[in-house]
Amino acid sequence: MNGLIEELQRLFPGIQGEEGGDMPALVVPADQLLAVMKELKERHDFNFLADLTAVDFRDEKRIEMVYHLLAVPEARELRVKVNLNRQHPEVSSLTAIWPAADVQEREVYDLMGVIFQGHPNLKRILCPDDFTGHPLRKDFQLNAEEGRE
Amino acid sequence: MAVAREDLLTQEIELNMGPQHPSTHGVYRALLTLDGEKVVKVENIIGYLHRGIEKLAEDRTYTQVIPYTDRLDYLAGMLNNLGYVQTVEKLMDIEVPERAEYLRIIMAELSRIASHMIMVASMALDVSGWTAWFPPFRERERILDLFEMTCGSRLTVSYMRIGGVAADIPPGFLPALEAFLDDLPQMIAEMNGLITGNEIFKARCQGVGKIDLETALAYGITGPNLRACGLPFDLRKARPYGIYDRFEFDIPTLNNGDSYDRFVIRLLEMEQSARIIRQAMAGLPGGPVMAKVPRVIKPPKGEVYHQIEGAKGILGFYLVSDGGNKPYRLHIHSPSFVNLGALPRIAEGGNIQDFVVNIASIDIVLGEVDR
């Protein structure tokens, strides 16, 4: 697996490897995400998008996109992360590579406010269309009256 | 009387199906664009059951999150419990006592059988196979009785704990389980006799909602729906969690990837789950059912992603801990949500009658879709 990270680093010098977690992980610059994912899918057998989500690190002023890939059928796992600016979180959509990203990116947009460039139908999915705010942000108040206008 | 040709042309109409509709299996709404009887476009409209479980989890202790997981896929509560507690255990490096591991397997597989029973019963009902509703529900009742006997609850079980299970099984559990397993093949035979070989059922389902393996993978479809496309991919075998590596079972696959195969695969999987349960009963060791865990669960700072083979596909939990006693972030990857995302692809181009079959065959549960 170390070989994989080194090989990717040769192609994409901006990538960092993360060790010691429950699975190998990469931190990828936002502008290289699409190219890295294509490479992982086409040349390294990570053919399945297992999960896609985001975490709000409010104190560090960043939103972290977290992708989990799976190599089917041997079930190897890989985590790919992208750090985004909390004020203007924007990242490329993966819908062109995996249609599975469609609904999951809409969910992240809805609940976390991340904009996915190139998404064919980026609108709210779980909250009503007239909802304001993004509930999974840490500064969203859990108050019955708040959030609705 | 001559009729001008343009008078006969049809016009596309939009039709709302749901959220209150008997065959949407919950509060799911589809906005269908129809050309005559043909479904041209499907738009999924969901969120009616969105309770914000991921957000609520950030304000609850690790143990307090367990009851929320029951309410995801409420037809297979044990499996959600299992996925969540194993996630926390993975982050904390907790070892679970042997007896608890075996009990977890028994409960999880019973849950899987119960969930598949609902699927086969309701899919048959959706194509007007009324009689077929009863055998699965009759037998499922016995599974729920077993759950009630053990933890006092039938659906929202909250049976699993971080470090083990809430209670040992009571006397009388194993004989009742044995009797249930003895009768299960008869129920499956009944279903095969009533439905699987039924000409009308075949005509309604074969070739309906076909999806090939490559498309299924691209759309993130997992679980029985993926195995109905011919790929024997099951996390219990591919990446065994808990003690699944100790049991012998097969992964049934079918090749057509249509609604009919998605129905039949559930019946086949019930047999395999029963096989696992019998082995777990035979190997059930004595001893405690809870590990010694701290009173206050405080996992170390870090993150973990854990996925299990749920009843409807791969169920994943992504947990981020900041070292406190509440999750910093808990994301639930629910199989129904992603499988439902593929429904437009499956259903477009078919008839509106087939749409009902398609929804039933991908087996969604809205508690899990909306979270």
Side-chain angles (χ1 to χ4, degrees):
Chain A
M1 203 42 96
N2 280 328
L4 168 75
I5 295 176
E6 277 162 28
E7 209 181 316
L8 285 168
Q9 274 171 336
R10 237 173 288 137
L11 285 168
F12 307 97
I15 291 183
Q16 286 172 351
E18 268 187 12
E19 299 286 323
D22 54 323
M23 65 177 82
L26 304 172
V27 184
V28 178
D31 54 344
Q32 293 184 345
L33 177 71
L34 213 52
V36 171
M37 287 299 198
K38 269 203 182 109
E39 175 78 12
L40 283 169
K41 186 187 179 192
E42 281 158 19
R43 309 256 322 271
H44 299 280
D45 299 332
F46 286 103
N47 53 351
F48 191 81
L49 178 67
D51 181 49
L52 169 177
T53 188
V55 187
D56 180 13
F57 291 100
R58 184 191 183 184
D59 299 341
E60 298 164 35
K61 297 190 173 61
R62 66 188 173 98
I63 283 183
E64 189 178 78
M65 284 299 303
V66 189
Y67 302 88
H68 289 98
L69 305 185
L70 200 60
V72 174
E74 62 267 44
R76 272 183 297 130
E77 295 174 313
L78 179 70
R79 176 179 295 139
V80 178
K81 293 189 192 175
V82 180
N83 284 312
L84 305 176
N85 179 334
R86 195 171 182 274
Q87 297 297 320
H88 307 285
E90 277 189 39
V91 71
S92 314
S93 165
L94 297 185
T95 42
I97 308 177
W98 288 288
D102 189 327
V103 287
Q104 299 183 66
E105 286 179 347
R106 277 178 67 189
E107 183 192 328
V108 173
Y109 162 72
D110 186 359
L111 304 181
M112 202 64 101
V114 176
I115 307 287
F116 293 90
Q117 292 148 343
H119 192 288
N121 181 28
L122 195 64
K123 57 178 189 179
R124 289 191 185 270
I125 186 164
L126 293 178
C127 296
D129 289 341
D130 59 353
F131 196 81
T132 40
H134 303 288
L136 281 181
R137 292 275 186 113
K138 287 286 174 186
D139 46 10
F140 186 90
Q141 290 299 309
L142 271 187
N143 180 327
E145 296 306 312
E146 206 105 2
R148 252 185 197 284
E149 281 180 347
Chain B
M1 195 175 73
V3 180
R5 187 166 156 64
E6 48 268 33
D7 290 345
L8 293 172
L9 290 181
T10 55
Q11 194 184 354
E12 285 186 357
I13 60 159
E14 284 193 339
L15 181 73
N16 253 310
M17 186 168 156
Q20 274 81 32
H21 188 285
S23 66
T24 55
H25 298 216
V27 278
Y28 156 76
R29 174 174 148 217
L31 185 58
L32 306 173
T33 308
L34 300 174
D35 179 7
E37 289 208 323
K38 204 173 152 197
V39 177
V40 181
K41 187 167 168 270
V42 180
E43 194 188 343
N44 288 331
I45 299 166
I46 57 174
Y48 296 96
L49 209 57
H50 180 56
R51 295 145 295 175
I53 287 178
E54 293 181 10
K55 183 73 174 178
L56 289 167
E58 293 174 9
D59 213 29
R60 301 287 184 277
T61 64
Y62 283 91
T63 310
Q64 284 172 344
V65 173
I66 296 172
Y68 287 91
T69 66
D70 292 333
R71 287 148 178 88
L72 294 166
D73 176 358
Y74 42 76
L75 304 176
M78 291 286 187
L79 285 161
N80 306 323
N81 282 183
L82 181 66
Y84 172 70
V85 297
Q86 283 190 336
T87 308
V88 182
E89 284 160 6
K90 203 168 173 181
L91 193 56
M92 294 181 74
D93 252 329
I94 292 176
E95 205 167 308
V96 178
E98 281 283 293
R99 186 171 174 84
E101 288 278 24
Y102 276 82
L103 290 178
R104 282 179 175 189
I105 299 277
I106 293 174
M107 298 303 177
E109 293 306 318
L110 279 175
S111 238
R112 190 185 314 279
I113 295 176
S115 170
H116 285 358
M117 280 174 168
I118 299 258
M119 187 276 181
V120 293
S122 49
M123 185 168 166
L125 186 67
D126 280 350
V127 292
S128 303
W130 293 86
T131 320
W133 177 263
F134 296 100
F137 267 75
R138 184 189 67 215
E139 298 303 317
R140 174 173 172 268
E141 205 58 20
R142 296 168 71 178
I143 297 181
L144 302 185
D145 287 345
L146 287 166
F147 289 168
E148 190 179 5
M149 197 189 264
T150 311
C151 62
S153 198
R154 298 163 69 79
L155 291 171
T156 49
V157 284
S158 292
Y159 176 59
M160 313 262 175
R161 290 289 186 276
I162 296 158
V165 294
D168 207 337
I169 45 173
F173 180 90
L174 288 175
L177 177 57
E178 182 90 48
F180 164 75
L181 291 176
D182 288 342
D183 294 343
L184 184 66
Q186 196 210 326
M187 183 224 90
I188 295 174
E190 266 178 272
M191 285 306 277
N192 284 332
L194 280 166
I195 298 296
T196 315
N198 184 297
E199 282 302 319
I200 302 169
F201 185 75
K202 280 184 174 171
R204 286 293 308 269
C205 301
Q206 279 180 338
V208 169
K210 252 179 116 88
I211 188 161
D212 62 79
L213 179 59
E214 205 179 317
T215 317
L217 283 173
Y219 273 85
I221 291 178
T222 48
N225 295 337
L226 181 66
R227 295 188 281 273
C229 299
L231 185 73
F233 184 67
D234 188 320
L235 280 185
R236 288 175 293 172
K237 273 257 200 272
R239 200 181 181 84
Y241 48 92
I243 53 164
Y244 271 106
D245 48 355
R246 298 186 197 170
F247 302 105
E248 253 180 56
F249 60 101
D250 300 322
I251 308 172
T253 54
L254 294 166
N255 291 315
N256 293 324
D258 58 3
S259 296
Y260 183 75
D261 278 6
R262 289 195 280 273
F263 173 88
V264 176
I265 197 115
R266 261 95 181 175
L267 290 171
L268 298 174
E269 289 198 357
M270 283 186 214
E271 288 169 3
Q272 296 304 321
S273 291
R275 247 177 100 184
I276 297 174
I277 296 173
R278 279 200 193 276
Q279 291 169 52
M281 285 168 77
L284 184 66
V289 294
M290 266 302 282
K292 287 205 162 49
V293 290
R295 254 194 125 65
V296 179
I297 303 282
K298 267 189 177 182
K301 202 168 182 297
E303 63 189 324
V304 67
Y305 187 62
H306 181 66
Q307 34 192 358
I308 68 163
E309 189 68 38
K312 282 141 183 102
I314 293 179
L315 173 68
F317 288 87
Y318 178 61
L319 179 65
V320 181
S321 160
D322 59 357
N325 62 351
K326 295 169 186 167
Y328 184 78
R329 171 91 171 92
L330 177 70
H331 172 67
I332 303 151
H333 177 91
S334 72
S336 292
F337 179 66
V338 181
N339 290 350
L340 185 62
L343 180 65
R345 177 73 175 70
I346 292 173
E348 278 167 13
N351 282 339
I352 186 163
Q353 298 91 325
D354 294 346
F355 186 69
V356 172
V357 175
N358 286 324
I359 297 181
S361 75
I362 61 167
D363 191 21
I364 52 167
V365 58
L366 271 297
E368 187 179 70
V369 172
D370 294 341
R371 280 155 285 157

